[in-house]
């Protein structure tokens, strides 16, 4: 962190400001009909969440918790054991952090090219144009925390058989991104055209294929030893999880070092760790994986627990501390975020 003098104190926002920046795990509003496979057996019990940004949900009833553009989107998926998210790919980066559950990630149009198993604390970044799907293969309900690149991450591209199966259960997807239940709402003449499976020659041109060793190479395990960013805060360890070497932040290269449009850090706050007041030049989103985190911002204070999400605006003064310790998954906007600037409270 660098020091910044003559910066306003923690008094620049209305009393409700901090709470409006927090999404509690217990307050997440799911959509159970967010995507085209919502009626397909094996995929019909999943809950999807749009936490920050518009996301990629195909149902306009999907609740968006915080719509403010960040340069990336935050979402989530909660699935019971045996529940499957069907094969698809994206046009922007997609990163998953496993909060709970045991998950099989599979690639290939038919989910037969590669498989890796992820546990809580593991991270995976799946390249664009790679068909991927994931299943909770654990014994309990699991939750995946997801980061998608861009303010507008575009639409999901589904494997052809996913669209064909969905049509058999009365669901079609329109080219404007809207999901239509033809069992209750017949298509109107004014409706956008129905999305058809991508032509085979188009898929062959664009789709990338990865085998299991290549898929394992884009996984960072929870016990991986990460290169650390310099820290002047006793008891705060920040590991470079995703993003290239960045002199602006004095950050070493991470295991997932290609450009995503955002960076991710794994932060451990030991019991008693406390930051000074500081600001950042990019949006910062904090996900609490375990432990308890206290945040002070705009003359307000809040306590966050496992599964809670906090987003802090650009140049907002904040302090973090943890009396009993916390493990955090932190996302910052841009490929080269700047170092935090410490506020000189004596001025």
């Amino acid at each position: 962190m660098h020091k910044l003098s003559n910066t306003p104190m923690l008094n620049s926002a209305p009393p409700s400001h901090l709470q409006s920046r927090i999404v509690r795990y217990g307050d997440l509003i799911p959509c159970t009909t967010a995507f085209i496979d919502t009626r397909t057996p094996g995929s019909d019990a999943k809950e999807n969440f749009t936490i920050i940004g518009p996301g990629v949900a195909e149902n306009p009833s999907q609740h968006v918790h915080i719509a403010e553009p960040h340069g990336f989107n935050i979402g989530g998926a909660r699935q019971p054991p045996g529940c499957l998210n069907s094969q698809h790919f994206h046009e922007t980066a997609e990163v998953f952090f496993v909060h709970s559950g045991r998950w099989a990630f599979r690639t290939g149009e038919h989910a037969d090219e590669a498989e890796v198993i992820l546990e809580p604390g593991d991270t995976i970044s799946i390249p664009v144009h790679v068909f991927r799907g994931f299943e909770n293969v654990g014994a309990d309900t699991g939750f995946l925390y997801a980061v998608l690149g861009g303010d507008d991450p575009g639409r999901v591209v589904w494997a052809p058989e996913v669209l064909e199966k969905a049509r058999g259960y009365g669901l079609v997807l329109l080219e404007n991104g809207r999901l239509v239940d033809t069992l209750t709402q017949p298509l109107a003449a004014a409706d956008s055209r129905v999305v058809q499976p991508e032509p085979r020659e188009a898929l062959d041109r664009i789709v990338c294929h990865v085998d299991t060793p290549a898929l394992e190479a884009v996984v960072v395990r929870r016990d991986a030893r990460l290169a650390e960013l310099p820290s002047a805060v006793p008891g705060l360890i920040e590991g470079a999880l995703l993003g290239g070497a960045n002199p602006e932040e004095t950050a070493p290269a991470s295991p997932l070092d290609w450009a995503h449009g955002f960076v991710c850090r794994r932060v451990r706050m030991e019991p008693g760790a406390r930051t000074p007041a500081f600001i950042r030049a990019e949006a910062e989103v904090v996900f609490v994986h375990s432990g308890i985190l206290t945040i002070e911002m705009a003359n307000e204070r809040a306590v966050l627990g496992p599964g809670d999400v906090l987003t802090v605006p650009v140049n907002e003064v904040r302090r973090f501390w943890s009396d009993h310790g916390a493990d955090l998954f932190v996302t910052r906007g841009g490929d080269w975020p700047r170092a935090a600037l410490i506020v000189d409270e004596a001025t």
Side-chain angles (χ1 to χ4, degrees):
M1 290 185 177
H2 301 302
K3 191 172 185 179
L4 180 69
S5 298
N6 300 318
T7 301
M9 301 291 288
L10 303 177
N11 59 1
S12 58
S16 62
H17 182 58
L18 176 56
Q19 292 300 330
S20 72
R21 312 297 301 183
I22 296 171
V23 181
R24 304 279 184 187
Y25 184 81
D27 295 336
L28 284 172
I29 298 175
C31 184
T32 58
T33 56
F35 294 107
I36 190 72
D37 62 345
T38 190
R39 283 202 188 124
T40 303
S43 300
D44 52 354
K46 59 182 177 175
E47 297 176 296
N48 292 99
F49 306 92
T50 300
I51 301 172
I52 294 174
V56 291
E58 295 158 350
N59 189 332
S61 68
Q62 172 80 63
H63 179 77
V64 177
H65 288 81
I66 297 177
E68 171 190 316
H70 281 57
F72 54 87
N73 284 246
I74 300 292
R78 187 164 58 202
Q79 298 176 198
C83 186
L84 179 73
N85 191 299
S86 303
Q87 298 303 105
H88 65 283
F89 68 75
H90 294 279
E91 299 288 347
T92 65
E94 183 176 45
V95 175
F96 290 102
F97 177 79
V98 180
H99 178 55
S100 59
R102 187 169 187 265
W103 297 82
F105 284 80
R106 305 182 182 104
T107 64
E109 181 180 335
H110 304 288
D112 57 359
E113 293 182 2
E115 178 181 277
V116 292
I117 305 296
L118 272 64
E119 307 274 0
D122 293 343
T123 303
I124 186 169
S125 175
I126 305 176
V128 299
H129 299 156
V130 172
F131 274 118
R132 82 289 307 265
F134 44 90
E135 179 183 359
N136 179 0
V137 295
D140 301 303
T141 295
F143 183 79
L144 290 174
Y145 178 83
V147 188
L148 276 168
D151 283 325
D152 179 4
R155 69 179 182 90
V156 178
V157 179
W158 295 99
E161 70 177 10
V162 175
L163 294 173
E164 292 165 3
K165 285 181 179 179
R167 189 184 292 252
Y169 293 98
L171 294 177
V172 297
L173 181 63
L174 304 184
E175 289 184 351
N176 62 8
R178 186 166 65 92
L179 188 64
V180 176
D181 181 355
T182 60
L183 299 182
T184 61
Q185 180 185 355
L187 290 174
D191 279 333
S192 175
R193 289 188 300 176
V194 172
V195 170
Q196 301 297 326
E198 293 288 334
R200 176 54 48 192
E201 58 273 18
L203 286 178
D204 290 343
R205 277 197 311 270
I206 194 173
V207 169
C208 299
H209 303 272
V210 296
D211 57 15
T212 294
L215 190 59
E216 182 64 47
V218 297
V219 173
V220 181
R221 299 294 176 179
R222 58 186 168 185
D223 56 356
R225 185 173 180 84
L226 302 177
E228 295 177 8
L229 280 70
S231 173
V233 178
L236 188 151
I237 302 101
E238 180 171 342
L241 180 61
L242 183 149
N246 178 17
E248 288 281 347
E249 204 179 13
T250 324
S254 73
L256 307 172
D257 63 354
W258 61 94
H260 287 69
F262 54 86
V263 301
C264 296
R265 311 295 188 209
R266 200 162 63 198
V267 177
R268 170 65 185 167
M269 297 188 73
E270 301 291 347
R274 183 185 186 97
T275 73
F278 68 97
I279 65 173
R280 289 192 175 276
E282 300 82 18
E284 180 176 55
V285 177
V286 178
F287 176 76
V288 180
H289 176 49
S290 64
I292 301 296
L293 177 71
T294 302
I295 168 73
E296 187 174 74
M297 189 173 83
N299 281 334
E300 293 184 89
R301 184 177 296 181
V303 177
L304 282 68
D308 292 346
V309 177
L310 165 74
T311 173
V312 185
V314 172
N315 293 329
E316 184 81 53
V317 184
R318 84 295 301 265
R319 294 187 187 95
F320 298 150
W321 69 90
S322 181
D323 292 332
H324 303 288
D327 289 302
L328 314 173
F329 181 90
V330 178
T331 304
R332 298 183 189 128
D335 290 308
W336 298 280
R338 300 177 189 175
L341 296 175
I342 297 174
V343 174
D344 184 353
E345 297 181 349
T347 59

